[in-house]
Amino acid sequence: QVHVVESGGGLVQPGGSLRLSCAASGGNFRLYVMGWYRQAPGNERELVANISPGGHTTYAASVKGRFTISRDNARNSVFVQMDTLRPEDTAVYFCNARGVAIDSWGQGTQVTVSS
């Protein structure tokens, strides 16, 4: 069983930056597609970015060029650097680990972009 825990959320002004971290335990981290998702009030959960075991990245159109996802297999961790944040980026951000018979979610971390 894979367990993931997010950290790094908070309140930031528009135009600011935050870096979210996700630490995974259990299983074989190197084999998983790791993703960041977000859910704003009244909205469905949506993909922000993901990164394959080989390092291939995918981004939502709304964050491309502003967010950067990365992984550190030695630390069983995935990160997302979020720059030029906008009020519409406000949401709970979730980490996901996906593999064969694996689909694990964290509890989420709140990101609020407001002046």
Side-chain angles (χ1 to χ4, degrees):
Q1 187 172 357
V2 179
H3 185 58
V4 295
V5 179
E6 305 94 340
S7 61
L11 173 64
V12 62
Q13 292 187 343
S17 298
L18 277 177
R19 185 177 189 243
L20 304 183
S21 301
C22 171
S25 59
N28 192 340
F29 180 83
R30 296 172 183 270
L31 300 181
Y32 304 145
V33 175
M34 298 300 299
W36 286 99
Y37 292 72
R38 67 186 181 187
Q39 187 167 18
N43 290 358
E44 294 187 354
R45 191 172 297 188
E46 62 176 4
L47 174 69
V48 174
N50 63 24
I51 184 166
S52 73
H56 177 75
T57 57
T58 301
Y59 294 93
S62 59
V63 307
K64 200 166 187 178
R66 299 188 297 123
F67 290 13
T68 303
I69 190 171
S70 60
R71 66 190 296 159
D72 184 340
N73 289 337
R75 295 165 58 191
N76 287 359
S77 296
V78 63
F79 311 95
V80 61
Q81 175 67 39
M82 306 186 296
D83 298 318
T84 320
L85 283 160
R86 305 167 180 167
E88 53 264 39
D89 294 317
T90 295
V92 178
Y93 284 69
F94 297 90
C95 179
N96 173 256
R98 189 161 299 169
V100 176
I102 298 293
D103 187 13
S104 295
W105 294 88
Q107 292 299 306
T109 185
Q110 176 70 46
V111 172
T112 302
V113 184
S114 175
S115 55

